[in-house]
Amino acid sequence: MNRLRKMRPTYILISAFITTMLVGTFLLMLPVSVTGQPPWPYPLETPPYEYGPQFEGGAPFSVAFFTATSATAVTGLIVVDTATYYSTFGQAVIALLIQIGGMGTMTIVALVAMVLARRLDMRTREVASASVSGVEPGNVRKVVIGVAILTATVETILATTLLLRFIFLGHSFKSALGEAWFHSISAFNNAGFALSTNSLMDYATDPWIIIPISAGIIIGGFGFPALLALYRCGMHWWRWPMTTRLVVVGTTGLLLTGWVFFALAEWTNPNTLGTAEDSAGKILMAFFASVTPRTAGFNSIDVGSMTDISRVMTDMLMFIGGGPGGTAGGVKITTAFVIGFVVWSEMRGGRAVNILGLRLPRSAQRQALTVMSLSSIAVMTGTMMIMVQTTANLDQALFESVSAFSTVGLSTGITATLPETSQVVLIILMIIGRLGPLTIATALALRTSPLTYELPKDRPLIG
């Protein structure tokens, strides 16, 4: 315990995340976690790789570890069908991992500590504040309570709405209750796991399913710091901090842009929006196609049948992701927009970077550039490794890598056909994407103290 107390918060966060993954892997390997059904059939007629021997007990380690990582990282990529491969117990384990991964392992620890001990020591405050970015240690108690109340409220409302709809569609109460709770947890935590083989394609034009799930995805993807600021400041936008301003403007702009783009690009595609019988259905499907890359992973249309330009747009939306400090992945809206404003300011010859009425400090510019650079390197490296190990083309490999790193879960259909070496690549990308490339880099940094001297200044030629 003394050594644990001396560890840096980033080490503790990574250790807690990996421990959660390993415990989840063990539980999914138990015979009670699987149904004994054969693995998910390949989406390709002739898969380039064999899945391996059938199991007679629990799930193989490779399958259980990939699923546990995907659930804890709230990604949603799968190598077996969640609905048929895992039993009710296994699905409950996946839902629990999603909940822990979405709220944050150390947030859960802080919440349990408050319930049992009625207080938080300083070390727990520091680690919990590191897991919810932008929160000072002194405000951890209020934030943790707020996160728990928000999570319980949104998931309960969403589950109740879905429960009523599933019952109306003819599901038994037991089946409807299980599906409603599972999908509400998966939606709010931006996980993308579904209890049907084709995700939400059966409900593509059902607004009573799509709209509530979309609302859960958007609220969860806002990020807890931005939601807390909205709660405190209301609609008095001049009191919003820069993070909240960027998240509100960025989320609205990206959702509308993606909505219009997918409607125009896929309107006449007979394999995507063309499957809807009327314009209202197409509009709803286009809206959901814009929501899910933020980073939920549900799909109501066949991603593999989308046009090339639509997949490129999806790549961009997935890479940007949602708001910081929440359940969404990606480089985050704030990072992408800070880089954009820095470029715009440089093009205009401005000395300071002003964003939505506030001035951006230089330290935030360097941090945004670091996150964007590390993220790009991770995605490109993962893409090249998948292409070297498989017959996947650039489009497929890039899509899978971005989806894994941004913890989205959308796939062109090749995840289950990848060899285990490529699945390991996706696992590493999911871990980096969920913990954050800057967190990983900080943990691996060799120097922990700042330099006490400065070198002579010089200016290289740029561009």
Side-chain angles (χ1 to χ4, degrees):
M1 291 300 295
N2 290 333
R3 293 185 63 182
L4 183 63
R5 291 179 180 277
K6 295 178 181 179
M7 291 174 63
R8 284 188 285 175
T10 51
Y11 289 164
I12 298 178
L13 287 177
I14 295 173
S15 301
F17 184 85
I18 294 176
T19 301
T20 304
M21 287 168 42
L22 294 177
V23 172
T25 301
F26 169 76
L27 293 176
L28 292 178
M29 291 179 67
L30 297 176
V32 70
S33 296
V34 298
T35 61
Q37 298 294 322
W40 186 26
Y42 291 109
L44 304 178
E45 294 182 1
T46 307
Y49 305 98
E50 294 183 1
Y51 179 83
Q54 299 292 332
F55 68 95
E56 295 181 357
F61 174 79
S62 59
V63 173
F65 187 59
F66 189 95
T67 304
T69 303
S70 183
T72 308
V74 291
T75 303
L77 286 175
I78 55 176
V79 292
V80 292
D81 182 21
T82 307
T84 59
Y85 189 85
Y86 291 106
S87 64
T88 302
F89 177 82
Q91 293 168 0
V93 170
I94 293 174
L96 179 61
L97 292 175
I98 292 172
Q99 191 73 80
I100 294 175
M103 292 183 64
T105 306
M106 296 314 301
T107 304
I108 300 291
V109 170
L111 183 63
V112 172
M114 284 192 299
V115 172
L116 298 180
R118 302 292 181 180
R119 65 184 181 84
L120 288 176
D121 57 27
M122 193 60 196
R123 186 58 172 170
T124 305
R125 291 175 184 270
E126 291 177 357
V127 179
S129 67
S131 65
V132 183
S133 56
V135 178
E136 297 296 332
N139 297 327
V140 165
R141 183 182 181 88
K142 293 181 180 179
V143 172
V144 168
I145 294 176
V147 167
I149 294 175
L150 174 67
T151 301
T153 302
V154 174
E155 290 182 359
T156 301
I157 294 175
L158 180 55
T160 303
T161 305
L162 295 177
L163 172 64
L164 297 175
R165 184 55 179 171
F166 285 139
I167 292 176
F168 180 81
L169 292 176
H171 296 216
S172 65
F173 179 81
K174 181 179 179 180
S175 173
L177 181 62
E179 290 192 42
W181 272 113
F182 188 93
H183 287 96
S184 66
I185 293 173
S186 185
F188 177 73
N189 290 285
N190 280 223
F193 280 88
L195 293 183
S196 55
T197 303
N198 57 1
S199 191
L200 299 180
M201 292 178 64
D202 292 338
Y203 311 106
T205 57
D206 188 342
W208 296 100
I209 299 291
I210 298 300
I211 292 179
I213 288 181
S214 298
I217 293 170
I218 295 171
I219 294 174
F222 245 73
F224 298 122
L227 291 172
L228 181 62
L230 288 175
Y231 173 77
R232 291 177 174 176
C233 303
M235 298 308 296
H236 304 296
W237 63 268
W238 56 89
R239 296 172 55 191
W240 293 353
M242 185 180 293
T243 297
T244 306
R245 300 185 186 190
L246 285 172
V247 171
V248 171
V249 174
T251 298
T252 304
L254 291 175
L255 284 175
L256 292 177
T257 300
W259 190 0
V260 174
F261 182 92
F262 288 122
L264 294 176
E266 301 290 331
W267 191 268
T268 58
N269 188 338
N271 298 318
T272 55
L273 301 190
T275 59
E277 298 179 354
D278 53 17
S279 298
K282 293 183 178 182
I283 293 174
L284 183 62
M285 293 167 71
F287 172 71
F288 198 64
S290 178
V291 171
T292 52
R294 311 305 318 290
T295 51
F298 294 107
N299 64 284
S300 62
I301 59 177
D302 184 7
V303 176
S305 299
M306 296 171 67
T307 59
D308 292 340
I309 190 172
S310 293
R311 280 200 292 271
V312 172
M313 183 63 174
T314 305
D315 284 336
M316 294 172 59
L317 292 176
M318 290 193 300
F319 189 70
I320 294 174
T327 61
V331 298
K332 303 299 188 295
I333 291 175
T334 47
T335 302
F337 275 70
V338 162
I339 294 294
F341 275 103
V342 169
V343 173
W344 178 247
S345 177
E346 186 66 24
M347 291 172 59
R348 297 181 61 188
R351 300 186 60 182
V353 179
N354 299 318
I355 300 178
L356 302 177
L358 297 172
R359 183 167 57 87
L360 183 72
R362 293 188 180 274
S363 59
Q365 300 176 36
R366 294 195 301 269
Q367 190 176 23
L369 180 61
T370 302
V371 170
M372 184 66 73
S373 301
L374 293 175
S375 301
S376 301
I377 292 172
V379 169
M380 290 299 101
T381 302
T383 301
M384 289 188 292
M385 293 183 68
I386 292 176
M387 292 182 68
V388 168
Q389 298 169 358
T390 70
T391 59
N393 57 37
L394 175 60
D395 178 27
Q396 294 172 321
L398 178 62
F399 196 95
E400 298 294 315
S401 296
V402 175
S403 181
F405 172 80
S406 300
T407 67
V408 180
L410 292 175
S411 174
T412 57
I414 68 170
T415 306
T417 70
L418 295 175
E420 291 185 0
T421 52
S422 294
Q423 291 178 9
V424 170
V425 172
L426 295 181
I427 288 174
I428 294 174
L429 287 175
M430 286 189 284
I431 295 174
I432 294 175
R434 184 53 188 160
L435 293 175
L438 196 57
T439 300
I440 302 293
T442 301
L444 297 176
L446 300 178
R447 186 185 301 275
T448 59
S449 58
L451 291 174
T452 57
Y453 60 89
E454 292 184 356
L455 297 175
K457 184 183 294 184
D458 195 7
R459 181 182 180 87
L461 297 177
I462 303 296

